[in-house]
Amino acid sequence: MRTSRASWHKNNSSAPVRKSTSVMRPSVLDPLFAPVSSLPGIGPKMSKLVSSLVTSQPDREATIADLLFHLPHNVIDRRHKPGIAYSENGDIVTLDVTIDRHMPGPRHGKAPYRISAFDDTGSITFVFFHPHRDWLEKMFPEGERRIVSGKVDWFNERPQMVHPDYVLKPEEAAAMPPVEPIYPLTAGLASKTLQKAIKTATDRVPTLPEWLDDAYLRQTQWPDFAEAVRTVHLPQEQSDISPEGPYIQRLAYDELLASQLALALVRANMRQLGGIARKPEGRLQKAVIAALPFQLTDSQKTAISEINQDLAEPVRMLRLLQGDVGSGKTVVALAALAQVIESGAQGAIMAPTEILARQHYASMLPLCEKAGIRIALLTGKDSQKQRRITQEKLDAGEIDLAVGTHALFQGSVTFRDLGLVVVDEQHRFGVHQRLALSAKGKGVDVLVMTATPIPRTLVLTCFGDMDVSRLTDKPAGRKPVKTVSASLDRLDEIIARVGAAVREGQKVYWVCPLVEESEKIDLAAVEDRHRVLEQVLQQRVSLVHGRMSADEKDAAMTAFKSGETRVLVATTVIEVGVDVPDATIMVIEHAERFGLSQLHQLRGRVGRGDKPSSCVLLFKGPLGETAQARLNIMRETNDGFLIAEEDLRLRGGGEILGTRQSGTPGFRIAQVEHHADLMETARDDARLILETDAELQSERGQALRCLLYLFGRDEAIRLLRAG
């Protein structure tokens, strides 16, 4: 459906003026972008609860589309009617019974209220706690028939049903759904309320133009979008909500196509904006490499050569540098920056935390001094005067390389001529920020680094718009870290071993987990462990956690680095990038609470020098199957890429990229473990679309605009010149 801006305004002159971002949204989508509070039964309080459940932005009211993308994870089949005597323990059944008699407990006692009933096969008791007697007498009149559905429990060889889900007169039986979808819920939101809202929302799904390729649709035999949504929320069979079934496959592919098309548009836009061919002699880069106290690995050499080729093209570079913990990414980044600085432009490195920004600065400073590169550190702690002086130098081109946190560069920092931005730990940093950054200079090249080894399928999902370089070798002299697991029952023994190691001059990290429910408990746990270690070891121990000020963290890290303290107790603040080469032991408490990639990241903090290192995974038993598998993998291998593939298999992609929920990051429907093949197809489809209809002007192109809006990828539409 074609909808020009002019016709939209003409047809909607009485409609409220929309924000400029959604002026172009095709009006056929309007029913799906209505707020959830427009549904009957969803008032302001319910709207807040529903929004917190179905969107990732708590301050935004959910739309009907958000609600429809909240899919059921299971179904209850209420067609199972075995009769009382043949109902198995734990089964959900529907029974046609005659009410026998009421057996209320004493009026003010805590005893439950019981009602007995029977059918041709036997008798059953319905049990209610905190009963409303009048209501129960009305719902279960003695001597009358009722259709009752719920879970049967056999207790002392007698069946009972606690708080049945449905109680209906025989003539009302049709009101009970034969197959009922079960949704993930949040505290305070009743299942029935959510089901009712979603059922009403399915009635509002409009017929949308088809954005899938005709031939592909015929080949897959998928339903259209509206039918897929309705069937998933009003399933007739368990198979209707299977991730491998046609309905969820259709919706997952739509979501993946929206994502891949948006990434392809960003990529094409960056290419259109044009880059600057940077082909210096390479003098500065050679000087940086010559200043290194070690030889480059083969994969470092390959990555530098790939980056140099990118920089020499008149097209913007957008490259992902993947390397396991300690594989030497920073050196590759500095070599790239040297190339750009020699061509007369400036560079910037953005780190996710201040600790990491300071560390990058400290490790690069001696190399930059030898090579003649002027480097500066920008931190949130700089005084206004200091910041003004640094800003003046950046504007005058007297600083070649600026190092700071993401937040600093998203703000008001400007450059005389920014040529290359290196973004560390990309998964904390989205496409929109990348676009904002590239606006700070002409033809800015972007190099993104991550120490999280990411499986190929996830690289496609989240970084589909990037070229990828991988650092696979460990720098010379690195020894694998010996990993053991031990029960927390052996805590005293482990502390005694740590004491012995410290007396021999070793340094130890001790990591306590974050229990998200309560920061107070976390704080108590980490402070408690710190206190115990100081008492038992009879020496000062450093402490780092998220509630400390930057100064306090710095002081604790400095004491540990310099050897004033030999043990550092920390929460996962230290997961990313903290570098203390002579630390040789890593103890991780409650290792069963961590994801595999996180455990691997933490383990990578030791084994950075030439001494043998070890990692102790302390767990509280009994372990679940997944936790057991995780600890086994950690003991068996040090290969980050292998670990990432396993992590994906065990957990879905969310944990790998640092987003907490399970499932594939940024996706509500698609799941890597079920839809990896669809991701490849969506990527190829998106490329083909851009080759044949770069402005999305054809009939299918207009339909694809609907798709991008529907899945919240409208930023990409703004990049189209025609809007």
Side-chain angles (χ1 to χ4, degrees):
M1 170 168 176
R2 285 170 197 272
T3 312
S4 70
R5 283 177 166 181
S7 68
W8 191 91
H9 279 299
K10 199 170 87 188
N11 299 337
N12 293 271
S13 51
S14 61
V17 177
R18 303 180 180 206
K19 286 193 209 126
S20 60
T21 57
S22 52
V23 160
M24 306 171 285
R25 189 173 70 219
S27 53
V28 68
L29 292 174
D30 287 353
L32 295 172
F33 279 84
V36 286
S37 55
S38 65
L39 293 167
I42 305 287
K45 187 179 165 201
M46 276 300 145
S47 162
K48 269 203 169 120
L49 282 173
V50 170
S51 299
S52 72
L53 177 67
V54 305
T55 75
S56 52
Q57 302 141 302
D59 51 346
R60 168 172 88 74
E61 186 181 355
T63 62
I64 303 267
D66 291 321
L67 189 60
L68 292 171
F69 292 149
H70 185 69
L71 301 190
H73 58 76
N74 209 341
V75 297
I76 293 174
D77 190 339
R78 302 221 178 256
R79 295 170 299 187
H80 184 40
K81 300 174 181 175
I84 293 172
Y86 305 109
S87 298
E88 300 276 342
N89 185 41
D91 273 8
I92 288 178
V93 299
T94 299
L95 303 171
D96 185 339
V97 298
T98 301
I99 306 304
D100 183 17
R101 63 197 177 97
H102 285 241
M103 298 171 280
R107 271 230 177 251
H108 299 295
K110 294 208 170 159
Y113 190 109
R114 299 171 187 278
I115 299 169
S116 67
F118 60 89
D119 67 5
D120 297 344
T121 69
S123 61
I124 189 167
T125 306
F126 301 125
V127 182
F128 294 86
F129 296 94
H130 313 297
H132 294 287
R133 296 174 70 134
D134 301 348
W135 181 81
L136 288 172
E137 283 161 6
K138 192 171 122 206
M139 293 301 285
F140 295 89
E142 291 179 359
E144 289 194 23
R145 265 177 71 210
R146 285 292 178 265
I147 307 297
V148 183
S149 187
K151 182 176 162 194
V152 173
D153 294 303
W154 283 79
F155 189 67
N156 289 339
E157 298 186 10
R158 297 171 68 84
Q160 61 177 33
M161 190 182 282
V162 178
H163 289 270
D165 301 329
Y166 288 90
V167 181
L168 300 162
K169 294 176 184 170
E171 62 271 23
E172 297 167 347
M176 181 172 67
V179 177
E180 187 177 354
I182 303 300
Y183 295 91
L185 290 170
T186 187
L189 180 62
S191 172
K192 292 251 168 66
T193 309
L194 184 67
Q195 284 178 6
K196 192 175 162 205
I198 290 178
K199 189 172 185 308
T200 313
T202 57
D203 297 337
R204 299 195 181 179
V205 179
T207 302
L208 297 174
E210 182 54 76
W211 45 72
L212 293 192
D213 174 64
D214 286 345
Y216 187 55
L217 205 51
R218 280 197 302 276
Q219 181 196 326
T220 55
Q221 296 187 310
W222 285 340
D224 67 17
F225 173 81
E227 188 192 335
V229 170
R230 287 193 194 104
T231 307
V232 167
H233 289 297
L234 306 169
Q236 297 303 303
E237 302 292 341
Q238 174 84 38
S239 59
D240 289 347
I241 64 157
S242 159
E244 275 93 11
Y247 304 104
I248 290 200
Q249 285 238 330
R250 160 76 209 226
L251 298 176
Y253 186 78
D254 288 341
E255 186 174 34
L256 291 167
L257 181 60
S259 163
Q260 292 300 319
L261 187 56
L263 284 170
L265 284 164
V266 168
R267 185 65 195 264
N269 183 61
M270 287 206 133
R271 289 191 178 284
Q272 271 172 11
L273 289 173
I276 293 169
R278 306 183 199 276
K279 301 182 195 171
E281 291 169 19
R283 180 181 46 75
L284 259 189
Q285 192 175 74
K286 288 191 184 86
V288 165
I289 293 168
L292 294 170
F294 50 80
Q295 295 289 306
L296 292 176
T297 65
D298 287 345
S299 52
Q300 281 176 318
K301 287 176 188 165
T302 306
I304 291 171
S305 146
E306 286 168 346
I307 291 166
N308 287 349
Q309 282 169 13
D310 283 357
L311 293 174
E313 296 289 326
V315 169
R316 288 181 170 214
M317 171 170 81
L318 190 49
R319 184 169 284 278
L320 175 69
L321 178 62
Q322 264 191 285
D324 211 341
V325 175
S327 56
K329 295 180 296 297
T330 316
V331 169
V332 173
L334 188 54
L337 287 158
Q339 200 70 341
V340 169
I341 289 164
E342 189 183 331
S343 73
Q346 292 162 299
I349 289 201
M350 304 191 340
T353 65
E354 198 151 300
I355 287 184
L356 197 51
R358 288 178 178 283
Q359 195 173 288
H360 279 320
Y361 177 73
S363 65
M364 289 180 166
L365 184 62
L367 299 172
C368 286
E369 281 175 344
K370 283 183 185 162
I373 292 172
R374 298 165 296 180
I375 182 173
L377 176 68
L378 289 78
T379 78
K381 294 205 303 254
D382 295 347
S383 66
Q384 275 191 309
K385 183 183 174 188
Q386 217 174 340
R387 193 172 281 197
R388 195 184 69 244
I389 292 169
T390 307
Q391 184 57 69
E392 283 168 2
K393 286 186 169 178
L394 279 170
D395 288 337
E398 290 164 21
I399 291 172
D400 300 315
L401 173 56
V403 183
T405 61
H406 294 170
L408 286 166
F409 290 112
Q410 284 162 46
S412 55
V413 178
T414 54
F415 295 83
R416 185 180 66 84
D417 178 12
L418 182 61
L420 171 62
V421 176
V422 177
V423 181
D424 198 6
E425 288 306 323
Q426 152 71 24
H427 60 260
R428 299 157 193 245
F429 190 79
V431 170
H432 318 316
Q433 288 105 314
R434 287 209 310 259
L435 289 171
L437 256 183
S438 29
K440 287 191 183 275
K442 286 198 293 288
V444 180
D445 292 304
V446 178
L447 176 67
V448 162
M449 305 196 294
T450 178
T452 309
I454 304 170
R456 184 164 183 277
T457 33
L458 274 190
V459 169
L460 281 183
T461 323
C462 307
F463 310 105
D465 58 334
M466 297 190 187
D467 301 306
V468 181
S469 294
R470 269 186 161 189
L471 300 182
T472 47
D473 330 320
K474 282 269 190 283
R478 277 287 172 102
K479 296 201 168 42
V481 178
K482 181 172 187 267
T483 305
V484 294
S485 56
S487 165
L488 270 165
D489 301 340
R490 293 170 55 196
L491 185 64
D492 294 346
E493 182 192 329
I494 301 293
I495 292 178
R497 287 193 182 187
V498 163
V502 167
R503 285 192 292 280
E504 285 170 16
Q506 296 191 56
K507 282 189 189 172
V508 182
Y509 286 108
W510 191 295
V511 176
C512 298
L514 277 174
V515 193
E516 282 191 353
E517 289 81 65
S518 165
E519 282 194 7
K520 281 186 185 147
I521 296 173
D522 300 339
L523 220 52
V526 74
E527 286 171 344
D528 194 35
R529 181 60 63 235
H530 175 249
R531 200 166 41 250
V532 168
L533 288 173
E534 280 201 329
Q535 280 167 0
V536 177
L537 303 177
Q538 296 192 323
Q539 56 178 277
R540 199 175 132 221
V541 169
S542 284
L543 173 66
V544 175
H545 58 71
R547 301 293 290 276
M548 292 162 72
S549 70
D551 283 341
E552 290 168 323
K553 283 185 208 162
D554 278 353
M557 287 303 306
T558 307
F560 183 57
K561 264 187 154 168
S562 68
E564 259 181 78
T565 58
R566 295 249 148 219
V567 180
L568 171 70
V569 176
T571 53
T572 48
V573 174
I574 62 154
E575 176 189 343
V576 177
V578 176
D579 193 13
V580 181
D582 55 346
T584 53
I585 298 174
M586 166 66 72
V587 180
I588 303 173
E589 208 170 315
H590 283 293
E592 76 280 0
R593 291 188 195 165
F594 292 91
L596 253 182
S597 290
Q598 230 183 351
L599 289 172
H600 179 64
Q601 289 273 354
L602 288 166
R603 174 170 67 181
R605 302 290 122 232
V606 296
R608 299 182 150 229
D610 49 7
K611 293 195 181 74
S613 295
S614 52
C615 173
V616 183
L617 306 172
L618 288 178
F619 63 86
K620 184 172 170 51
L623 287 177
E625 202 180 320
T626 304
Q628 184 68 62
R630 265 189 221 138
L631 299 191
N632 290 345
I633 293 157
M634 286 297 292
R635 287 200 305 267
E636 285 159 17
T637 181
N638 272 270
D639 180 335
F641 287 104
L642 189 75
I643 284 171
E645 296 288 352
E646 282 299 311
D647 203 9
L648 186 61
R649 194 176 61 74
L650 290 172
R651 274 203 76 118
E655 178 71 16
I656 294 179
L657 290 173
T659 49
R660 282 305 164 104
Q661 74 282 15
S662 217
T664 309
F667 291 94
R668 290 181 275 189
I669 301 165
Q671 299 168 45
V672 155
E673 54 274 40
H674 297 294
H675 304 129
D677 53 334
L678 296 182
M679 208 175 283
E680 302 265 4
T681 311
R683 190 183 196 200
D684 293 342
D685 197 3
R687 284 182 167 171
L688 191 64
I689 290 160
L690 283 202
E691 279 169 25
T692 53
D693 181 19
E695 296 294 332
L696 303 186
Q697 292 295 2
S698 65
E699 194 175 340
R700 185 185 178 199
Q702 295 290 340
L704 284 161
R705 289 176 180 232
C706 281
L707 172 73
L708 289 168
Y709 275 109
L710 191 54
F711 284 97
R713 299 290 198 268
D714 28 328
E715 252 81 1
I717 296 185
R718 276 189 244 162
L719 301 175
L720 294 170
R721 282 198 301 271

Short mmCIF file of all heavy atoms in Angstrom, two decimals, residues 14 196 482:
data_model
loop_
_atom_site.label_atom_id
_atom_site.label_comp_id
_atom_site.label_asym_id
_atom_site.label_seq_id
_atom_site.Cartn_x
_atom_site.Cartn_y
_atom_site.Cartn_z
N SER A 14 -7.54 15.50 11.12
CA SER A 14 -8.01 15.69 12.50
C SER A 14 -7.16 14.91 13.50
O SER A 14 -7.29 15.07 14.69
CB SER A 14 -9.45 15.22 12.62
OG SER A 14 -9.49 13.84 12.30
N LYS A 196 -7.21 -12.01 27.94
CA LYS A 196 -8.36 -11.27 27.40
C LYS A 196 -7.87 -10.10 26.54
O LYS A 196 -8.39 -9.85 25.45
CB LYS A 196 -9.21 -10.77 28.58
CG LYS A 196 -10.56 -10.24 28.16
CD LYS A 196 -11.41 -9.89 29.37
CE LYS A 196 -12.55 -8.97 28.94
NZ LYS A 196 -13.05 -8.15 30.00
N LYS A 482 44.61 -23.39 34.26
CA LYS A 482 44.09 -24.66 34.78
C LYS A 482 42.81 -24.36 35.56
O LYS A 482 42.79 -23.51 36.44
CB LYS A 482 45.13 -25.29 35.70
CG LYS A 482 44.70 -26.63 36.28
CD LYS A 482 45.86 -27.29 37.03
CE LYS A 482 45.49 -28.70 37.47
NZ LYS A 482 44.94 -28.78 38.80
#
